[in-house]
Amino acid sequence: NAGVTQTPKFRVLKTGQSMTLLCAQDMNHEYMYWYRQDPGMGLRLIHYSVGEGTTAKGEVPDGYNVSRLKKQNFLLGLESAAPSQTSVYFCASSPLEDEQYFGPGTRLTVT
Amino acid sequence: KNEVEQSPQNLTAQEGEFITINCSYSVGISALHWLQQHPGGGIVSLFMLSSGKKKHGRLIATINIQEKHSSLHITASHPRDSAVYICAVRGGSQGNLIFGKGTKLSVKP
């Protein structure tokens, strides 16, 4: 099992550009999450999904959109990137409200 | 005030020492998680607990629901234990995880 994978691992964007981060899990987990991690702060929840076809806002959803068309995939989109979105993004999945399994992270820089 | 507070923020220990990391929270919770973030960035779940105590190898996690406090102990610490240890609680209005800022542990040989 690959567990939770994230694509890409690194990305540099210019302000205003768009991109999609892909998260995939092969553990048949119902719940999936997108977090961002910034220096001096704890992980913060951007969006989450409790099942295929469902999404919900987390603590810091502005500027991001998500989709969960397939159970194993959770996509995070930035429509118009801003420097404030420079961060490390982590995806996670869990079987219901249980321990979470994290992906390796995506380091995004917006210039 | 942060809903999840960890102490200390940074901790340096000598190999073999007994280590304690503390986590206090201010919200009602259904569970508390301890996670480890390796120097390379990867995050691994260590424990999930809602009462009492759990042990895995040299790691022990305890929780006191009445005092809203949890501790993570590492016995016979080793340089490979060097990492950031993160406390997270499941609580609040949405029931999602709320994370502490982490405790950076460095174990010297």
Side-chain angles (χ1 to χ4, degrees), chain A residues 91-107:
Chain A
C91 175
S93 70
S94 68
L96 305 181
E97 290 185 352
D98 207 335
E99 68 173 289
Q100 296 187 10
Y101 294 77
F102 286 80
T106 295
R107 187 172 295 273

Side-chain angles (χ1 to χ4, degrees), chain A residues 60-103:
Chain A
V60 289
D62 293 344
Y64 305 94
N65 56 76
V66 288
S67 64
R68 183 121 181 249
L69 299 179
K70 293 183 178 181
K71 187 177 184 179
Q72 63 267 36
N73 295 337
F74 195 29
L75 278 63
L76 178 71
L78 286 73
E79 289 188 349
S80 180
S84 60
Q85 293 178 304
T86 293
S87 188
V88 181
Y89 292 85
F90 286 96
C91 175
S93 70
S94 68
L96 305 181
E97 290 185 352
D98 207 335
E99 68 173 289
Q100 296 187 10
Y101 294 77
F102 286 80

Side-chain angles (χ1 to χ4, degrees), chain A:
Chain A
N1 285 355
V4 180
T5 58
Q6 291 182 231
T7 309
K9 290 186 169 48
F10 303 93
R11 186 74 187 267
V12 178
L13 286 179
K14 293 188 188 307
T15 297
Q17 287 185 321
S18 64
M19 77 164 294
T20 300
L21 281 67
L22 170 64
C23 176
Q25 53 97 2
D26 61 3
M27 296 173 283
N28 202 35
H29 287 169
E30 289 295 330
Y31 287 26
M32 295 187 76
Y33 314 83
W34 275 108
Y35 296 99
R36 61 178 288 172
Q37 186 177 44
D38 300 294
M41 303 186 74
L43 286 154
R44 292 183 292 169
L45 182 65
I46 304 171
H47 285 280
Y48 65 102
S49 168
V50 299
E52 181 179 314
T54 74
T55 63
K57 293 180 181 180
E59 181 186 354
V60 289
D62 293 344
Y64 305 94
N65 56 76
V66 288
S67 64
R68 183 121 181 249
L69 299 179
K70 293 183 178 181
K71 187 177 184 179
Q72 63 267 36
N73 295 337
F74 195 29
L75 278 63
L76 178 71
L78 286 73
E79 289 188 349
S80 180
S84 60
Q85 293 178 304
T86 293
S87 188
V88 181
Y89 292 85
F90 286 96
C91 175
S93 70
S94 68
L96 305 181
E97 290 185 352
D98 207 335
E99 68 173 289
Q100 296 187 10
Y101 294 77
F102 286 80
T106 295
R107 187 172 295 273
L108 174 67
T109 301
V110 183
T111 62

Side-chain angles (χ1 to χ4, degrees), chain B residues 23-74:
Chain B
C23 176
S24 297
Y25 52 92
S26 58
V27 295
I29 69 167
S30 57
L32 182 142
H33 297 246
W34 282 102
L35 306 114
Q36 180 191 55
Q37 186 167 23
H38 300 291
I43 300 173
V44 175
S45 178
L46 297 175
F47 295 103
M48 185 182 76
L49 64 167
S50 54
S51 65
K53 174 179 172 178
K54 285 191 175 180
K55 184 175 189 291
H56 180 71
R58 295 180 295 106
L59 273 60
I60 303 166
T62 65
I63 188 169
N64 185 317
I65 296 293
Q66 287 72 31
E67 294 186 3
K68 295 187 175 179
H69 181 269
S70 175
S71 293
L72 176 68
H73 305 286
I74 304 175

